[in-house]
Amino acid sequence: SVGLIGPTGSGKTTLVDIILGLLDPQNGSLEVDGKIITKLNIRSWQRSIGYVPQNIYLIDDTIKSNIAFGVDPNKIDQDIVEKVSKIANLHEFITNELPEKYLTTIGESGIKLSGGQRQRIGIARALYHAPKILILDEATSALDNQTEQLVMESIDNIDKDITVIMIAHRLNTVKNCDIIFK
């Protein structure tokens, strides 16, 4: 796990945009495991990444559809939805507190959910396609301390075979990362 911290304007998001392939580096190149990422292999690289932004985009649909966002409703794998929900600390909430479980409609922009629940749906969504890299871009900055702690527990549940890159303003948010860049 890698933590990137620094004040606003220090280049954290720009660096992540380069890693995501959204921006080309002005100098040098993006190299992964000895392989330079180019226009020819960028799509393959991008498919290996799960991304959790600060503000999660949710549609007025079911929890299941929001986790498997973009997947044809008839092709959503319920086992995977439940597996990633458990990792994201959502499964208990969904099965114990929601009337229609994974088929509960969450309202426009997830209005029926708390901020922490929306962030955890974002984490589950990012994990649905089994990425090799998970990038969290200020994913906890808008949360209160208790909710941030729950979301951080979700991140700690992630398989250790996945590289996690976390961007944050506060050192406390990335304190459990293996390496921290300031």
Side-chain angles (χ1 to χ4, degrees):
S1 57
V2 178
L4 301 173
I5 64 165
T8 302
S10 63
K12 301 178 304 289
T13 299
T14 300
L15 176 60
V16 166
D17 285 347
I18 290 170
I19 293 169
L20 290 169
L22 302 175
L23 288 176
D24 291 326
Q26 292 179 349
N27 294 307
S29 59
L30 173 61
E31 186 176 320
V32 179
D33 295 332
K35 188 174 189 178
I36 294 176
I37 305 300
T38 67
K39 297 216 181 297
L40 298 175
N41 61 10
I42 190 76
R43 293 314 244 161
S44 172
W45 166 245
Q46 288 171 329
R47 281 191 291 275
S48 70
I49 300 172
Y51 179 69
V52 183
Q54 182 174 354
N55 297 309
I56 306 296
Y57 174 75
L58 298 174
I59 55 174
D60 187 9
D61 205 334
T62 64
I63 295 260
K64 179 179 179 176
S65 292
N66 272 283
I67 290 173
F69 188 73
V71 176
D72 181 310
N74 299 321
K75 294 183 180 178
I76 296 173
D77 186 322
Q78 183 65 29
D79 291 336
I80 294 174
V81 168
E82 289 183 23
K83 177 185 174 193
V84 298
S85 293
K86 287 175 185 172
I87 293 168
N89 278 335
L90 263 178
H91 183 73
E92 296 296 319
F93 164 73
I94 292 167
T95 57
N96 295 333
E97 297 186 37
L98 296 180
E100 297 177 61
K101 316 285 186 233
Y102 285 92
L103 298 177
T104 301
T105 301
I106 62 168
E108 183 142 350
S109 299
I111 194 75
K112 297 178 183 177
L113 302 172
S114 72
Q117 291 159 346
R118 288 192 291 266
Q119 286 305 105
R120 285 179 279 170
I121 285 177
I123 293 168
R125 175 189 292 168
L127 294 171
Y128 183 83
H129 294 287
K132 294 182 176 117
I133 298 149
L134 180 64
I135 298 175
L136 298 114
D137 190 355
E138 299 282 356
T140 64
S141 66
L143 304 177
D144 61 74
N145 289 339
Q146 185 177 4
T147 306
E148 179 181 26
Q149 187 174 353
L150 290 171
V151 172
M152 294 308 295
E153 286 173 19
S154 302
I155 294 164
D156 290 340
N157 287 338
I158 294 170
D159 187 337
K160 298 305 177 201
D161 291 335
I162 296 174
T163 298
V164 176
I165 300 173
M166 294 180 59
I167 298 174
H169 286 294
R170 300 183 302 259
L171 181 59
N172 193 45
T173 304
V174 297
K175 69 180 180 202
N176 291 335
C177 289
D178 299 318
I179 188 165
I180 299 169
F181 292 99
K182 195 172 184 182

